[in-house]
Amino acid sequence: MATSLSGKAAAHDDLTKPTRGLDVRIGRIPIRHLSPIEAEGRWSAKAYVGEVVPFAATIFREGHDSLGARLHLTRPGGATSIHQMHSGAAGTDRWHADARIDEIGEWSWKVEAYSDDWATWLHNAEIKIPAGIDVELMFAMAVTLVRRSGSAKIYAEAAAAFADTSLSPAARMAVALDPRLVKAIAAKPISSLSTMSETVSLRVERELAGFGNWYEFFPRSEGAKRAKDGAWVSGTFRTAAKRIPAVAEMGFNVLYLPPIHPIGTSFRKGPNNTLVAGPGDPGSPWAIGSADGGHDAIHPDLGTVKDFSYFLGVVKKNGIEVALDLALQCSPDHPWVTAHPEWFTTLPDGTIAYAENPPKKYQDIYPVNFDNDPEGIYAEVLRVVRYWISLGVTIFRVDNPHTKPLQFWEWLLAEIATDRPDVIFLAEAFTRPAMMQSLAAAGFQQSYSYFTWRNTKLELETYLTEISHETSATFRPNFFVNTPDILTEYLQFGGLPAYKIRAAIAATGSPLWGMYAGYELIENVARPGAEENIDNEKFEYKLRDWAKAERSGATLAPYVRRLNEIRAQHPSLAQLRNTEVHWSDDDSIIVYSKVLAQQFSPTGTSDGIIVVANLDPHSVRETTVHLDLEKLGLAPASQFTVTDLITDQVFTWGSDNYVRLDAFTEPVHILRIDYPKGS
Amino acid sequence: MATSLSGKAAAHDDLTKPTRGLDVRIGRIPIRHLSPIEAEGRWSAKAYVGEVVPFAATIFREGHDSLGARLHLTRPGGATSIHQMHSGAAGTDRWHADARIDEIGEWSWKVEAYSDDWATWLHNAEIKIPAGIDVELMFAMAVTLVRRSGSAKIYAEAAAAFADTSLSPAARMAVALDPRLVKAIAAKPISSLSTMSETVSLRVERELAGFGNWYEFFPRSEGAKRAKDGAWVSGTFRTAAKRIPAVAEMGFNVLYLPPIHPIGTSFRKGPNNTLVAGPGDPGSPWAIGSADGGHDAIHPDLGTVKDFSYFLGVVKKNGIEVALDLALQCSPDHPWVTAHPEWFTTLPDGTIAYAENPPKKYQDIYPVNFDNDPEGIYAEVLRVVRYWISLGVTIFRVDNPHTKPLQFWEWLLAEIATDRPDVIFLAEAFTRPAMMQSLAAAGFQQSYSYFTWRNTKLELETYLTEISHETSATFRPNFFVNTPDILTEYLQFGGLPAYKIRAAIAATGSPLWGMYAGYELIENVARPGAEENIDNEKFEYKLRDWAKAERSGATLAPYVRRLNEIRAQHPSLAQLRNTEVHWSDDDSIIVYSKVLAQQFSPTGTSDGIIVVANLDPHSVRETTVHLDLEKLGLAPASQFTVTDLITDQVFTWGSDNYVRLDAFTEPVHILRIDYPKGS
């Protein structure tokens, strides 16, 4: 590839001399718009281990001759693999190659384009030779071309046949289409004008960064009880540990704990967010810090460091990792307030500014100021995070990252990744797209998402397409179905069907999904006028009689367990970028699929799931579902069977299929495509 | 702005030390996605003199405090102007500033974002002070803030008033809203955390690169006549020069000539693209080269270099510039073929490859091969282009640039721009979007477009939006209504109304438009089965009796002249990026506007045009037009008058307006918005 076409004198004395050495910015065969890439090239695009990444580029050339393209993919250790690319939708000039990513670290890739001289010849020969046009000339060109491939027997024999005028033109043409020659040329194209793109990076994180099942509980509630005097006795890490096997049994592999630190007493909030707490009220875990310590301390009610380590051990034994909350805010009683007032904002009256959204005041919370002493507060947060990592914590759920400088997160997450690239940060940012997308691009491995507020068919179709195709270079949404802060109207008023529908879509629509304890018990009563549960666990202990719920069948736990089993058994659901929306004739029935092609599937055939969900939790609906068979990797007009993984029903399907979904029995089909062997 | 937050030791020995010096890639206040910018940052975005460029960036910050932003715009000479930016559509975090570009050369710009501390205070104070919350604290903060602005009298007085507890809170608050203080603070914001974006470049070309009226004629036809023996006598530069005043009278300022070089005789095409030419057939001007010379020669029938210079002189006197055709292909008789066979492709049988699209052969044309001897052919083309420039040519219409390497055009156009940035190249590339967009990004000042094939309302709405908002960073479409190669079905079957509709939309929908001679005579008969005129001028002389057409009124010339007058009088039509589509209830009536805001308008008020076109050339249509008044720079529920610039009718309009358009009289309203003084 020539990128410098003239390096000549800087002045020209006649009309032919270039005026200057000029580096052109495009190669001989233009290669543009590589993907996945972070839009500004400011940060790396990202992937996670196990992900099949759709690499693509826009490649085109002058005139009508053929071109080909290859992906050169380099692992962190430096080994490079080469993947043939194929052209995509007509008219787009997009070329594609999918590759499975299987190692943490900084990968890099580039695209090679070349003039596919054999394909050009073949295209012309297949028209001209049967028409008797330039027959000998075409075969002479074929001889020249195959000789460029070397002296191997297959080429020598082909050259001899092309040159053999005693054979009929048809017989000589047949040589060009001989599968052995076709295969040899496919493996080693007869090419020229090879052009390389720039090299771009791909940051690969571990599988749990992109594929995981989250569960949230408050450890103080698990095992909490009332003493004889009626006063609450907090649950502890020891009592909470007893709940872990049940969480594992449901198939979750991340357990997120709200802050476990000492809680301030100044302006402590009472039940239902009231301004005055009673003596027995435990306060919000997000009002961090007291005389017992701050962000590096454990609430005495929960236990000691030793108890926490015991808890981590039980968690680990159950195949789960703990996610700690990283909430960078302080109660007025936090040790930082006196030791480092410069980490807060001091007002002209000498007081420290509490959080407010005028006229609302949040006097139990002091926001951290990151600008007065950035070196100091940055180093302290780094110390805190490293401390918990040193105890065995590998995941952090970051509270409200959008209220701290983006620059700070970029710095902190890069610092941690330097020696602990396995540590995962989930951004709890419910804010506008620019900030949410930028937090992801700047380093967060996962993000809370708008999923809870996407309930209609059009909303979900748009959002599923956005997360899989538009923002997936850096943004990985975690589809939480609820949180202590979010109980949507859809859940409040949709009954059991709504809970099933939302869980099924979360578990199949995103490789990351999450649930806050109580969802499985259909806890759907909101504090009046609010979008969150009444008697909220943020401000009080919450007793749940899990055993009784199980006995009576009043729990979705078996359904949730089945969802997580399906996720474990179907690697297509572990992928972010493979969601495709299909059509149904009913405006409440959504249809989407996720397919993992045979070459990447561990089962020997493609792995594919079709989800058909009735989004109206109050109705029985019948409609016709129209599938884009090509997106399922199936031939046009295919007939195939699908198996409902919830009910075990088997249906014979094609491109157009009758569906009936009763919200009061099973509102969602999760259908396995039964691919025949070899497809 | 801190972009390096730690430059410390590379290893850490406790939990607080960063592991490495880390340069963060985002500033304190994130500034992202600057626009206009070439998507890959591979080349510069472009503008032309007189253009009002909409600069924008995505700017956001943590938390709820206010921010502000300024555009820093640097001229080629180095002088920088600063423009306050304003926030755009809610939720987008886009900030905008428009600026008029008035000088050729390489401009650069960057965006500054800052914490708008006064705006934050004002937002809180306007809620808290009337509610009696933290009143003295708020005024104490105000004192601190205005003191940061300096000791000027206005600030000192404000500080004193804020601190004056003898005044009522309302009176002290009124000081904050005093227009003089508001103005002073607007001019010099009370800010902190100032953050600069990266600097990006903007390549500015002359006005004609982006705003011009093109006319095409074949000089050999103008003044051609039959001798007494019936043989044709070619028109010459001297006879063709007589037609120039009429072209100028219609308001055109670029005259494009098909190739003026000697034409080959080998395999010369006859009338209507037949394979055998008669002795008197002049051949296609695109079959370049004969014993009389090649790309640097003039066809002897047209005259000499002296005649060409005379022609250029007449053109210039009429306020027109000539665009020469640059068609890099050769007839078999071209001098290059024998002198430089390496600039072509030699086949195994020793012949030179002619153009073909199997099974079609174009034996009258040898394509140039740019890969055998790039240094040689590149230098030769540079010499040819420089030769015509040396004779006074300033514009080239490049034939089929998409059949030559993109890299070649990038090199050639940059070479020419080095000392002749005034030279304009128009790309005649009717091909897929990737190549068309890349030719523009790599250097072409203008491009032929898909306009001729965008005829329905949805097609035109989509295309007008695309060219003004999506691709305008580098792509400038020239809306030719016809060419010797293109006579669309819409024109073939739409009669006079179709010709009016297409001319009106071309002239108002794009600042660049063009017409090939004969359009004004409604030449709408196609060669059967082809999308081009019968008895095509490419292959024969064409006599047009302009005088007779004028006498009988059988010409659109007055309509075309009026369109160009309107373009000259309305600077809003000289802009590419200001097109906005509005709504009508009829599926054949399109509505769009172009507005130039008052601050950029030479008339003292905004300049605005609304076009309402009935796209059905066979009907009378009535409908209601719904205008987005905000996009017109008008207040909600405004009433205003519009004046039809074709018929002089005046209408009183508002947001919803009845329209009746009779295709058989005037199918298109071109409405001037009569802005009141001061708006």
Side-chain angles (χ1 to χ4, degrees):
Chain A
M1 167 195 173
T3 51
S4 180
L5 290 161
S6 72
K8 294 183 179 168
H12 60 103
D13 48 16
D14 67 18
L15 294 175
T16 63
K17 278 207 192 142
T19 48
R20 53 171 178 167
L22 181 74
D23 285 324
V24 293
R25 297 181 189 180
I26 198 75
R28 175 62 184 82
I29 298 180
I31 307 171
R32 302 191 66 195
H33 303 299
L34 271 60
S35 168
I37 198 166
E38 194 269 308
E40 293 186 297
R42 190 184 292 271
W43 295 292
S44 291
K46 296 190 293 196
Y48 52 91
V49 167
E51 203 173 7
V52 174
V53 175
F55 296 93
T58 300
I59 310 174
F60 54 96
R61 66 174 299 183
E62 76 288 351
H64 299 291
D65 286 355
S66 298
L67 64 82
R70 284 187 283 249
L71 165 70
H72 294 240
L73 181 60
T74 301
R75 310 171 69 87
T80 296
S81 57
I82 293 181
H83 308 254
Q84 196 65 34
M85 301 181 83
H86 59 274
S87 63
T92 64
D93 288 311
R94 289 295 276 178
W95 287 72
H96 306 269
D98 294 345
R100 187 169 183 275
I101 298 298
D102 56 7
E103 183 184 350
I104 293 174
E106 297 294 324
W107 293 55
S108 66
W109 60 284
K110 59 187 174 182
V111 169
E112 177 194 5
Y114 55 86
S115 175
D116 189 336
D117 299 335
W118 182 255
T120 301
W121 177 86
L122 198 62
H123 170 81
N124 293 339
E126 289 188 304
I127 297 168
K128 294 173 77 170
I129 289 175
I133 302 169
D134 298 335
V135 172
E136 288 309 318
L137 177 60
M138 290 308 293
F139 285 123
M141 291 169 70
V143 169
T144 307
L145 286 168
V146 293
R147 284 198 179 135
R148 271 169 47 194
S149 282
S151 55
K153 194 174 159 213
I154 190 165
Y155 304 119
E157 286 178 0
F162 291 144
D164 186 350
T165 54
S166 74
L167 297 173
S168 72
R172 292 152 81 189
M173 193 63 208
V175 173
L177 302 172
D178 183 303
R180 289 168 306 158
L181 185 66
V182 169
K183 194 177 163 193
I185 291 174
K188 190 182 152 195
I190 302 173
S191 66
S192 58
L193 307 179
S194 171
T195 306
M196 283 291 181
S197 76
E198 66 274 23
T199 298
V200 297
S201 62
L202 181 73
R203 181 186 204 177
V204 177
E205 294 158 345
R206 67 176 170 128
E207 186 183 42
L208 201 59
F211 174 48
N213 314 332
W214 287 53
Y215 190 81
E216 171 180 1
F217 74 46
F218 286 64
R220 70 183 182 192
S221 285
E222 295 301 328
K225 57 188 176 191
R226 284 195 189 270
K228 282 175 188 164
D229 62 357
W232 279 102
V233 177
S234 175
T236 68
F237 283 126
R238 299 272 171 181
T239 60
K242 295 177 185 161
R243 176 74 187 143
I244 293 169
V247 173
E249 173 71 15
M250 280 189 285
F252 292 103
N253 57 3
V254 177
L255 175 58
Y256 154 51
L257 308 179
I260 60 172
H261 315 302
I263 297 172
T265 52
S266 301
F267 302 99
R268 176 177 285 189
K269 295 285 180 65
N272 284 306
N273 205 18
T274 50
L275 289 178
V276 183
D281 290 328
S284 164
W286 284 273
I288 295 171
S290 77
D292 293 317
H295 284 77
D296 55 358
I298 290 174
H299 196 299
D301 285 357
L302 294 173
T304 63
V305 170
K306 202 173 148 192
D307 296 325
F308 180 58
S309 292
Y310 168 80
F311 184 85
L312 289 181
V314 176
V315 160
K316 190 173 181 180
K317 218 176 301 172
N318 281 275
I320 299 180
E321 293 183 43
V322 155
L324 277 200
D325 200 303
L326 182 62
L328 293 176
Q329 56 195 17
C330 298
S331 94
D333 312 314
H334 195 289
W336 287 350
V337 175
T338 43
H340 290 284
E342 72 275 16
W343 294 347
F344 303 91
T345 301
T346 299
L347 298 172
D349 64 0
T351 62
I352 288 181
Y354 47 77
E356 57 179 333
N357 185 10
K360 286 190 205 159
K361 301 177 171 197
Y362 306 97
Q363 288 168 289
D364 57 334
I365 295 293
Y366 287 175
V368 172
N369 181 317
F370 289 80
D371 293 306
N372 289 343
D373 172 27
E375 297 262 336
I377 183 64
Y378 281 40
E380 173 65 358
V381 176
L382 181 62
R383 186 190 68 78
V384 165
V385 173
R386 284 203 177 128
Y387 171 71
W388 294 109
I389 293 172
S390 77
L391 294 185
V393 173
T394 47
I395 309 179
F396 296 87
R397 176 270 198 193
V398 177
D399 192 73
N400 279 340
H402 57 293
T403 61
K404 290 88 188 173
L406 179 60
Q407 198 177 51
F408 164 74
W409 296 116
E410 183 190 0
W411 175 88
L412 179 72
L413 272 54
E415 285 289 338
I416 296 297
T418 303
D419 48 5
R420 290 299 300 267
D422 59 316
V423 174
I424 293 167
F425 292 86
L426 165 64
E428 187 240 11
F430 294 111
T431 183
R432 296 195 297 271
M435 176 61 98
M436 282 182 70
Q437 294 298 326
S438 296
L439 286 164
F444 278 91
Q445 279 77 12
Q446 305 181 10
S447 308
Y448 280 61
S449 74
Y450 300 141
F451 171 68
T452 47
W453 300 289
R454 299 294 180 269
N455 290 291
T456 67
K457 179 176 174 177
L458 180 61
E459 285 169 359
L460 279 167
E461 287 179 341
T462 304
Y463 199 57
L464 290 174
T465 300
E466 176 185 320
I467 60 153
S468 55
H469 295 289
E470 294 164 26
T471 60
S472 54
T474 57
F475 184 84
R476 298 188 195 117
N478 195 323
F479 276 13
F480 265 81
V481 288
N482 69 329
T483 78
D485 295 322
I486 307 176
L487 178 69
T488 60
E489 295 198 342
Y490 187 88
L491 293 178
Q492 291 176 37
F493 305 116
L496 172 67
Y499 276 67
K500 276 190 165 180
I501 293 162
R502 297 296 297 177
I505 294 175
T508 57
S510 166
L512 293 165
W513 81 300
M515 173 181 296
Y516 155 56
Y519 187 93
E520 61 271 56
L521 303 185
I522 324 294
E523 291 177 357
N524 61 3
V525 181
R527 179 152 53 86
E531 199 189 26
E532 61 178 52
N533 286 99
I534 197 165
D535 302 333
N536 199 294
E537 201 168 0
K538 288 185 287 187
F539 309 107
E540 57 191 271
Y541 300 103
K542 189 127 204 137
L543 294 192
R544 297 184 176 97
D545 194 337
W546 301 110
K548 183 178 163 199
E550 201 161 326
R551 282 193 307 273
S552 68
T555 170
L556 264 185
Y559 191 80
V560 170
R561 177 169 59 241
R562 183 64 189 138
L563 292 177
N564 282 328
E565 272 173 10
I566 293 167
R567 285 166 57 85
Q569 289 162 3
H570 290 281
S572 55
L573 297 178
Q575 300 289 323
L576 171 60
R577 308 179 204 231
N578 63 345
T579 307
E580 298 292 344
V581 170
H582 302 260
W583 182 266
S584 94
D585 297 337
D586 185 288
D587 62 7
S588 276
I589 293 190
I590 188 174
V591 189
Y592 57 90
S593 67
K594 292 178 84 79
V595 170
L596 188 66
Q598 184 191 13
Q599 65 190 114
F600 303 112
S601 169
T603 60
T605 67
S606 298
D607 181 65
I609 297 290
I610 300 167
V611 177
V612 187
N614 175 6
L615 300 175
D616 177 355
H618 308 295
S619 76
V620 183
R621 299 241 175 183
E622 298 176 70
T623 192
T624 304
V625 159
H626 306 279
L627 299 174
D628 182 335
L629 296 183
E630 191 182 342
K631 287 181 175 166
L632 302 176
L634 293 164
S638 293
Q639 290 261 316
F640 52 97
T641 66
V642 294
T643 303
D644 188 314
L645 298 174
I646 301 292
T647 63
D648 292 329
Q649 287 174 286
V650 178
F651 306 96
T652 297
W653 271 27
S655 59
D656 306 290
N657 311 285
Y658 166 80
V659 161
R660 180 178 189 277
L661 285 168
D662 179 345
F664 306 104
T665 56
E666 289 301 343
V668 182
H669 278 318
I670 301 178
L671 302 167
R672 180 188 69 217
I673 302 168
D674 299 320
Y675 285 96
K677 280 214 189 304
S679 75
Chain B
M1 165 198 177
T3 51
S4 181
L5 291 161
S6 73
K8 293 182 179 170
H12 62 102
D13 47 16
D14 67 19
L15 295 174
T16 62
K17 278 207 190 139
T19 48
R20 51 169 181 170
L22 182 73
D23 287 324
V24 293
R25 297 182 190 180
I26 198 75
R28 176 60 184 82
I29 298 180
I31 307 171
R32 302 190 66 194
H33 303 298
L34 272 60
S35 167
I37 198 166
E38 193 269 309
E40 293 187 296
R42 190 184 292 271
W43 295 292
S44 291
K46 296 191 292 196
Y48 52 91
V49 167
E51 202 173 7
V52 174
V53 175
F55 295 94
T58 300
I59 310 174
F60 55 97
R61 66 174 298 183
E62 76 289 350
H64 299 291
D65 286 356
S66 298
L67 64 82
R70 283 186 284 251
L71 165 70
H72 295 240
L73 181 60
T74 302
R75 310 172 69 88
T80 296
S81 57
I82 292 180
H83 308 255
Q84 196 66 35
M85 300 182 83
H86 59 274
S87 62
T92 63
D93 288 311
R94 289 296 275 178
W95 287 72
H96 305 270
D98 294 345
R100 188 171 183 276
I101 299 299
D102 57 7
E103 183 184 351
I104 293 174
E106 297 292 324
W107 294 54
S108 66
W109 61 285
K110 59 187 173 183
V111 169
E112 177 194 5
Y114 55 85
S115 175
D116 190 335
D117 299 335
W118 182 254
T120 301
W121 177 87
L122 197 63
H123 171 81
N124 293 339
E126 289 189 304
I127 296 168
K128 294 173 78 170
I129 289 174
I133 302 169
D134 299 336
V135 171
E136 288 310 318
L137 177 60
M138 291 308 294
F139 283 124
M141 291 169 70
V143 170
T144 308
L145 285 169
V146 293
R147 281 198 181 137
R148 272 170 45 195
S149 282
S151 55
K153 195 174 159 212
I154 190 166
Y155 304 119
E157 285 179 1
F162 291 144
D164 186 349
T165 54
S166 75
L167 297 173
S168 71
R172 292 152 82 189
M173 194 63 209
V175 174
L177 301 172
D178 184 302
R180 289 168 306 158
L181 185 66
V182 169
K183 195 178 163 192
I185 291 175
K188 189 182 152 194
I190 302 173
S191 66
S192 59
L193 306 181
S194 171
T195 306
M196 282 291 180
S197 75
E198 65 274 24
T199 298
V200 298
S201 63
L202 181 72
R203 181 185 204 181
V204 177
E205 294 158 344
R206 66 176 170 131
E207 186 182 44
L208 201 58
F211 175 49
N213 315 332
W214 287 53
Y215 191 81
E216 171 179 1
F217 75 46
F218 285 65
R220 72 182 180 192
S221 285
E222 295 301 329
K225 57 187 177 192
R226 285 195 188 269
K228 281 175 188 166
D229 61 359
W232 280 100
V233 177
S234 175
T236 68
F237 283 126
R238 299 272 170 180
T239 60
K242 295 178 185 160
R243 176 73 189 146
I244 292 170
V247 173
E249 173 72 15
M250 280 189 284
F252 291 102
N253 58 3
V254 177
L255 175 58
Y256 154 51
L257 308 180
I260 60 172
H261 315 303
I263 297 171
T265 51
S266 300
F267 300 100
R268 175 176 285 187
K269 294 285 179 67
N272 284 306
N273 205 19
T274 48
L275 290 178
V276 183
D281 291 327
S284 163
W286 285 273
I288 296 171
S290 76
D292 293 318
H295 283 76
D296 55 359
I298 290 174
H299 195 301
D301 284 359
L302 294 173
T304 63
V305 169
K306 201 173 151 192
D307 296 325
F308 180 58
S309 294
Y310 167 80
F311 185 85
L312 290 181
V314 176
V315 161
K316 189 172 183 182
K317 216 177 302 172
N318 281 275
I320 300 180
E321 293 183 42
V322 155
L324 276 202
D325 200 303
L326 181 61
L328 294 176
Q329 57 196 18
C330 298
S331 94
D333 312 314
H334 195 290
W336 289 349
V337 176
T338 42
H340 291 283
E342 71 276 17
W343 295 346
F344 303 91
T345 301
T346 300
L347 299 173
D349 63 0
T351 63
I352 288 180
Y354 46 78
E356 56 180 333
N357 185 10
K360 285 190 203 159
K361 301 177 170 195
Y362 305 99
Q363 287 166 290
D364 57 333
I365 295 292
Y366 287 175
V368 172
N369 181 317
F370 289 80
D371 294 305
N372 288 343
D373 172 28
E375 297 263 335
I377 184 65
Y378 281 40
E380 172 66 358
V381 176
L382 181 64
R383 186 190 68 79
V384 165
V385 173
R386 283 201 178 130
Y387 170 72
W388 294 110
I389 292 172
S390 76
L391 294 185
V393 174
T394 49
I395 308 179
F396 295 87
R397 175 269 197 196
V398 177
D399 191 74
N400 279 339
H402 57 294
T403 61
K404 290 89 188 175
L406 178 60
Q407 196 177 52
F408 164 74
W409 295 117
E410 182 190 2
W411 175 88
L412 179 71
L413 272 53
E415 285 288 338
I416 296 297
T418 303
D419 49 4
R420 290 300 299 269
D422 59 315
V423 174
I424 292 167
F425 292 86
L426 165 64
E428 187 241 11
F430 295 111
T431 183
R432 297 196 296 271
M435 176 62 98
M436 281 181 70
Q437 294 297 325
S438 296
L439 286 163
F444 278 90
Q445 281 76 13
Q446 305 180 10
S447 308
Y448 281 60
S449 74
Y450 301 141
F451 171 68
T452 46
W453 300 289
R454 299 293 180 267
N455 291 291
T456 68
K457 180 176 175 178
L458 179 61
E459 285 169 359
L460 279 165
E461 287 179 341
T462 304
Y463 199 58
L464 290 174
T465 300
E466 175 185 320
I467 61 154
S468 54
H469 296 289
E470 294 163 26
T471 60
S472 54
T474 56
F475 184 84
R476 300 189 194 116
N478 195 323
F479 277 11
F480 264 81
V481 288
N482 68 328
T483 78
D485 296 322
I486 307 175
L487 178 68
T488 60
E489 295 198 344
Y490 187 88
L491 293 176
Q492 291 176 36
F493 304 116
L496 173 66
Y499 276 69
K500 276 190 167 181
I501 293 164
R502 297 296 298 177
I505 293 176
T508 57
S510 167
L512 294 166
W513 81 299
M515 174 180 296
Y516 155 57
Y519 187 93
E520 62 272 54
L521 303 184
I522 324 293
E523 291 178 356
N524 61 1
V525 180
R527 179 155 53 86
E531 198 190 27
E532 61 178 52
N533 286 98
I534 197 165
D535 302 333
N536 200 294
E537 202 168 0
K538 289 185 284 187
F539 309 106
E540 59 190 273
Y541 300 103
K542 189 129 203 136
L543 294 192
R544 297 184 176 95
D545 195 336
W546 301 109
K548 185 179 162 197
E550 201 161 326
R551 282 193 308 272
S552 67
T555 170
L556 265 184
Y559 191 79
V560 170
R561 176 169 60 240
R562 183 64 188 138
L563 292 177
N564 281 329
E565 272 173 11
I566 293 168
R567 285 166 56 85
Q569 290 162 5
H570 291 280
S572 55
L573 298 178
Q575 301 289 323
L576 172 60
R577 308 179 205 232
N578 64 344
T579 307
E580 298 291 346
V581 170
H582 302 260
W583 182 265
S584 94
D585 297 336
D586 186 287
D587 63 6
S588 276
I589 292 190
I590 188 173
V591 190
Y592 57 90
S593 67
K594 292 178 83 79
V595 170
L596 189 65
Q598 185 192 9
Q599 66 190 113
F600 303 112
S601 169
T603 61
T605 66
S606 299
D607 180 65
I609 296 289
I610 300 167
V611 177
V612 187
N614 175 6
L615 301 175
D616 177 356
H618 308 293
S619 75
V620 183
R621 299 240 175 184
E622 297 177 70
T623 191
T624 303
V625 159
H626 306 280
L627 299 174
D628 182 335
L629 297 182
E630 191 182 342
K631 286 182 175 165
L632 302 175
L634 293 165
S638 293
Q639 289 262 315
F640 52 97
T641 66
V642 294
T643 303
D644 188 315
L645 298 174
I646 301 293
T647 64
D648 292 330
Q649 287 175 288
V650 178
F651 306 97
T652 298
W653 271 26
S655 60
D656 307 288
N657 311 285
Y658 166 80
V659 162
R660 180 180 189 278
L661 285 168
D662 179 345
F664 306 103
T665 56
E666 288 302 342
V668 182
H669 279 317
I670 301 178
L671 303 167
R672 179 188 69 217
I673 302 168
D674 299 319
Y675 286 96
K677 279 216 188 303
S679 72

